[in-house]
Amino acid sequence: MSKLSNYQLFEIIQNNSLDRVIRNEANAEFDKREISVDEISQLISTHDSLYKPDKETGLDLKYKIILVVFPFFIFLHNIIAAIILDKRKEYKFKQYWLYLSIGYVLWTAIVILFARYNLFKTESLKG
């Protein structure tokens, strides 16, 4: 640990997926070096500039339209889900389910209204 740079130690400490023992050793070495507050803020700014999270964009308009207009065609959903899961974008996957649900609700309402007004016509009782 003593051969690592301050930035490398900082990255080890920030990495939650590493073993706790390794992170504790790195933290002890970091404390032993007595780094100033200015240097720590510089490490933080360097870390933030290098590992800026990608801005999550939503689903493309064409996928939204397909999900709302054709919610019952499963093969289309397989294609869209494969594209979304391949990129591992959680925000897109949430939008996928939102627009798929909107499609199901919309088409269910259309079928119910169609059945109500065209299939089950009730004659008013005249008396």
Side-chain angles (χ1 to χ4, degrees):
M1 291 284 177
S2 62
K3 294 181 181 180
L4 296 175
S5 69
N6 292 341
Y7 182 72
Q8 290 170 330
L9 284 173
F10 179 76
E11 286 297 317
I12 291 173
I13 293 168
Q14 296 299 314
N15 190 348
N16 290 328
S17 62
L18 286 177
D19 186 35
R20 186 176 184 181
V21 174
I22 294 172
R23 289 180 60 218
N24 287 341
E25 287 178 21
N27 200 11
E29 178 66 29
F30 196 77
D31 290 340
K32 189 168 64 172
R33 292 186 184 186
E34 298 177 358
I35 300 172
S36 69
V37 175
D38 292 333
E39 290 175 327
I40 292 174
S41 63
Q42 185 179 12
L43 291 173
I44 292 171
S45 65
T46 304
H47 172 76
D48 290 345
S49 67
L50 291 176
Y51 297 104
K52 214 179 331 179
D54 295 336
K55 181 179 178 186
E56 291 194 29
T57 58
L59 281 175
D60 292 340
L61 181 62
K62 61 184 176 183
Y63 296 134
K64 292 177 183 178
I65 292 171
I66 289 171
L67 289 171
V68 171
V69 175
F70 304 111
F72 299 106
F73 295 121
I74 302 300
F75 66 91
L76 291 174
H77 303 298
N78 290 339
I79 294 169
I80 295 171
I83 291 169
I84 294 169
L85 290 175
D86 183 42
K87 296 178 182 176
R88 301 189 191 282
K89 300 291 185 182
E90 184 178 338
Y91 182 70
K92 284 185 179 183
F93 202 67
K94 287 180 181 179
Q95 279 196 337
Y96 166 81
W97 282 108
L98 172 70
Y99 283 97
L100 182 62
S101 300
I102 289 171
Y104 281 133
V105 169
L106 178 71
W107 279 99
T108 301
I110 290 171
V111 168
I112 289 172
L113 290 174
F114 177 79
R116 167 72 173 94
Y117 291 111
N118 290 321
L119 298 179
F120 302 112
K121 292 182 180 179
T122 56
E123 298 293 325
S124 61
L125 297 173
K126 296 180 182 178

